Amino acid sequence: MEHLINSKVKNIEISGIRKFFNMVAGTKDMISLTLGQPDFPTPEHVKEAGKKAIDENFTTYTHNAGYIELRTAAAQFVQTKYDLSYNPNDEIIITSGASEAIDITFRTILEEGVEVILPGPVYPGYEPIIKLCGARPVYADTRENNFRMTADIINNYITDKTRCIVLPYPSNPTGVSLTKEELSAIAELLKDKEIFVLADEIYSELVFDHKHFSIGTILKEKTIVINGLSKSHSMTGWRIGMLFAPSSITEHILKVHQYNVSCASSVSQMAALEALTAGINDAVEMKQSYMERREYVFERLTTMDLSVVKPDGAFYFFVKLPEPFTNSFDFALQLVRERGVAVVPGSAFSPLGEGYIRISFAYSMDVLTEALNRLEAFLKDHQS
């Protein structure tokens, strides 16, 4: 029966991040720096809110868009943090993680033959959904611009088929963000064009050196802002995302969401309500730890003479392969076999990621220290 499977599904692959992680997961005494998952537990008060929700029988379907109390809290959160203004009644949808928000957005705005511009290298979760919609991903090469997708670069890739531009910032895998000035230039470029912007801002609470700025504040009518609690509140398993857009857009996205999952988990929504209100600043302490780790990892990598752009946010370094290595998958596999350290091959992040590896620093200092000691020993073993 396999020959009857949807050809678009047959032609996509499992995420290169997960594929490599699963391949090496059984390696003895391995240290993994692969997954983008906070090493902090979900805050205690948020967990208690989830338990209370179960005890008080908040275990039924909610409004398709989510509890109005949660949507109101989400509106207040992004207004306070980023000066974004959205009506909780019809401009916000609570989703089953930011991944579902991306999925239902693309399925709402894309159709056969249109194009989506993405920064390259980029998180691998966009391309398969774009292709499932019959659209074509177009990778804008950001490698010579320190991985920053600016208006000048975007303009080189716009055609009459361009339907959407994806702006993920801070970026996975590079950790690079965009400034208010850069985003204003992008908004100016797009203001008279019929092109959507998908602003994936899941790491917005983990911006280190400047305040996060959302393009939704200056290009609201064309922008779908996606956020969530996985990274900011260490709630990856709770699966709560948030989608913000004008009502003329959300009324259609909501239809896809309804037939996809009906609604996000009611218990998780109550935990999310606690996170966005009493826990509005829960990410501050985590961010401080990530900043300390960033400084440590950056110092170690540069001491090893590795070429790397210092990240503005998130918790990743995207590191250029040193000579004589050229293939990122082979490098990563050899590093596991010889020194027991797992990193993600850059090829997992589009063809423009080849020649790099991604290192996550969402791990304790002890783990990072030992992993980097092993990486340094590995590189010394292979010095030409």
Side-chain angles (χ1 to χ4, degrees):
M1 299 295 287
E2 186 181 3
H3 67 287
L4 300 178
I5 298 293
N6 184 329
S7 61
K8 290 187 177 72
V9 175
K10 290 173 73 173
N11 290 331
I12 63 174
E13 297 183 2
I14 297 295
S15 160
I17 304 172
R18 285 287 178 177
K19 184 184 294 185
F20 188 80
F21 176 79
N22 294 339
M23 177 184 296
V24 302
T27 303
K28 185 178 180 181
D29 298 325
M30 184 185 73
I31 298 176
S32 176
L33 302 182
T34 57
L35 296 184
Q37 175 164 284
D39 65 323
F40 300 96
T42 300
E44 287 297 323
H45 68 104
V46 175
K47 291 192 288 187
E48 289 301 320
K51 295 174 189 176
K52 183 180 179 183
I54 295 172
D55 291 338
E56 296 185 356
N57 295 314
F58 283 92
T59 55
T60 60
Y61 292 124
T62 75
H63 187 291
N64 293 127
Y67 285 124
I68 185 59
E69 295 85 357
L70 177 56
R71 283 180 278 145
T72 300
Q76 292 171 344
F77 182 88
V78 297
Q79 176 74 62
T80 300
K81 293 282 187 174
Y82 317 122
D83 201 28
L84 285 165
S85 180
Y86 291 96
N87 187 329
N89 292 309
D90 57 6
E91 294 187 321
I92 300 174
I93 302 172
I94 306 301
T95 62
S96 296
S99 296
E100 193 230 340
I102 294 168
D103 176 48
I104 60 178
T105 295
F106 281 149
R107 287 201 281 156
T108 301
I109 68 174
L110 301 182
E111 54 196 346
E112 293 282 343
V114 302
E115 296 176 347
V116 178
I117 299 175
L118 305 134
V122 72
Y123 169 67
Y126 308 112
E127 178 183 321
I129 307 171
I130 293 168
K131 288 183 174 179
L132 286 173
C133 294
R136 187 172 81 91
V138 176
Y139 290 106
D141 192 345
T142 65
R143 292 173 297 180
E144 298 303 315
N145 195 39
N146 289 331
F147 305 120
R148 312 182 79 83
M149 191 162 83
T150 55
D152 289 344
I153 290 177
I154 291 170
N155 196 40
N156 292 330
Y157 294 88
I158 291 177
T159 71
D160 58 0
K161 294 182 179 180
T162 304
R163 178 66 58 86
C164 179
I165 294 168
V166 177
L167 295 177
Y169 58 97
S171 160
N172 175 7
T174 67
V176 167
S177 190
L178 294 174
T179 65
K180 179 179 180 179
E181 292 70 28
E182 288 168 330
L183 289 163
S184 296
I186 293 172
E188 181 67 22
L189 171 68
L190 300 178
K191 69 177 184 180
D192 296 324
K193 294 179 170 57
E194 293 190 324
I195 298 173
F196 289 104
V197 173
L198 189 157
D200 185 349
E201 303 181 14
I202 191 68
Y203 294 98
S204 60
E205 281 295 275
L206 302 179
V207 176
F208 302 139
D209 302 318
H210 56 84
K211 184 177 179 179
H212 177 77
F213 180 81
S214 176
I215 195 170
T217 62
I218 52 176
L219 199 67
K220 179 178 177 178
E221 70 279 5
K222 301 173 188 290
T223 300
I224 299 102
V225 176
I226 291 172
N227 214 313
L229 300 177
S230 290
K231 315 302 182 179
S232 61
H233 288 75
S234 196
M235 293 176 67
T236 53
W238 295 82
R239 308 312 303 134
I240 290 291
M242 302 177 291
L243 184 152
F244 306 86
S247 59
S248 59
I249 299 173
T250 57
E251 70 171 299
H252 300 293
I253 297 177
L254 185 62
K255 291 182 283 188
V256 183
H257 170 71
Q258 174 191 344
Y259 291 114
N260 187 7
V261 299
S262 293
C263 61
S265 158
S266 59
V267 172
S268 294
Q269 287 191 53
M270 295 306 291
L273 178 59
E274 174 74 9
L276 291 175
T277 52
I280 188 170
N281 291 317
D282 279 352
V284 173
E285 186 176 346
M286 298 184 215
K287 182 167 75 170
Q288 185 59 42
S289 292
Y290 290 136
M291 291 176 69
E292 293 169 3
R293 297 174 194 181
R294 176 188 66 157
E295 296 304 319
Y296 172 73
V297 175
F298 182 70
E299 189 273 331
R300 290 295 306 274
L301 293 175
T302 52
T303 298
M304 296 178 209
D305 292 327
L306 292 170
S307 176
V308 63
V309 175
K310 191 174 186 179
D312 303 312
F315 32 64
Y316 308 108
F317 279 91
F318 206 56
V319 185
K320 190 171 181 62
L321 291 181
E323 294 181 353
F325 299 98
T326 56
N327 184 285
S328 60
F329 186 89
D330 290 347
F331 176 94
L333 192 58
Q334 197 170 347
L335 179 60
V336 168
R337 289 173 174 170
E338 294 183 16
R339 290 291 176 171
V341 177
V343 297
V344 182
S347 55
F349 303 98
S350 84
L352 295 178
E354 182 55 90
Y356 297 82
I357 55 170
R358 190 193 76 175
I359 294 175
S360 169
F361 56 93
Y363 298 88
S364 70
M365 289 293 288
D366 288 344
V367 170
L368 292 171
T369 299
E370 177 59 24
L372 292 169
N373 287 344
R374 295 185 188 187
L375 173 61
E376 187 170 21
F378 174 82
L379 294 177
K380 287 180 178 177
D381 290 341
H382 294 275
Q383 284 179 341
S384 54

